[in-house]
Amino acid sequence: MTGQDPMGRIKGDLLLLSDFGYGRLRDRLAGLGDEEYLWEPAGSCWSVRPVGDGTYRADQSPTPPDPPPLTTIAWRMCHLIGVLAARRNATWLGVEPLGRGWRGAGEPGTADEAVRRLGLAYTRFRGHLAAVDAATLGDPMGEVAGGYGESSRASFVLHELDELIHHGAEIAALRDLYRATGTGRGSGA
């Protein structure tokens, strides 16, 4: 990478970290079934639930509960889908939004649909990141980002990657717990 401008190298590093974090999560989702996707390891978990019209909605609260509830794999995946697919990713990074209307009605009620939508959301996020002019990564996001306007575009990307990595790790830990407790059929426990 000799001769490459520093911001171009940083953009490349962000793309590599993004691909690594998503790839690791995608690999950990292999074989995820509906029972495990919706499994509640403790009482009062937040999850996604049917709302009666064939769609699902994620549990939520107008104010963050204290302490925060334990969440299911389903809830965490829906949260990640929302984070990665958010329109703000494009506008806060100063690029044109990619795609429209792909999410469908409600949250995914099955593991397969959640994995599919997570892939679409990641592709959208990565496309926005790839479209950023590397020279602008150190620039403040500006008025469009509200209270985060003074933060750089690079810091916003790092925040989004933190969401991907830490929720991915939580999903992996829940999968390990599901298997270790013998909850699922064929778990060997």
Side-chain angles (χ1 to χ4, degrees):
M1 295 209 161
T2 305
Q4 185 179 15
D5 70 285
M7 294 310 286
R9 184 170 183 165
I10 289 170
K11 178 180 172 180
D13 288 344
L14 291 171
L15 285 163
L16 286 171
L17 177 59
S18 179
D19 289 341
F20 178 78
Y22 173 70
R24 183 173 50 193
L25 173 58
R26 183 195 59 231
D27 292 349
R28 285 302 309 263
L29 291 171
L32 179 67
D34 293 344
E35 182 180 311
E36 183 180 4
Y37 174 68
L38 295 168
W39 175 60
E40 297 188 29
S44 302
C45 282
W46 275 12
S47 190
V48 296
R49 302 183 195 287
V51 293
D53 63 358
T55 63
Y56 285 73
R57 294 282 178 247
D59 294 328
Q60 58 183 320
S61 173
T63 57
D66 186 22
L70 183 61
T71 58
T72 63
I73 292 172
W75 190 95
R76 289 170 197 272
M77 286 184 71
C78 291
H79 174 67
L80 270 178
I81 291 165
V83 164
L84 295 173
R87 187 172 184 87
R88 75 176 185 178
N89 292 336
T91 57
W92 289 18
L93 293 174
V95 299
E96 286 295 315
L98 301 172
R100 301 188 82 158
W102 59 268
R103 280 193 73 188
E107 303 294 353
T110 67
D112 286 346
E113 181 63 11
V115 169
R116 185 186 77 79
R117 288 193 199 179
L118 181 63
L120 291 171
Y122 177 72
T123 298
R124 181 180 170 117
F125 171 78
R126 193 189 193 288
H128 292 147
L129 177 55
V132 171
D133 178 353
T136 69
L137 281 170
D139 294 349
M141 290 182 288
E143 198 173 292
V144 71
Y148 302 103
E150 292 301 313
S151 297
S152 72
R153 290 175 174 165
S155 71
F156 176 63
V157 171
L158 289 169
H159 167 76
E160 298 291 271
L161 294 178
D162 175 61
E163 289 285 304
L164 173 62
I165 292 165
H166 88 259
H167 286 303
E170 292 165 342
I171 289 167
L174 282 171
R175 293 208 71 193
D176 292 343
L177 183 62
Y178 182 82
R179 184 183 66 249
T181 60
T183 304
R185 291 182 211 125
S187 64

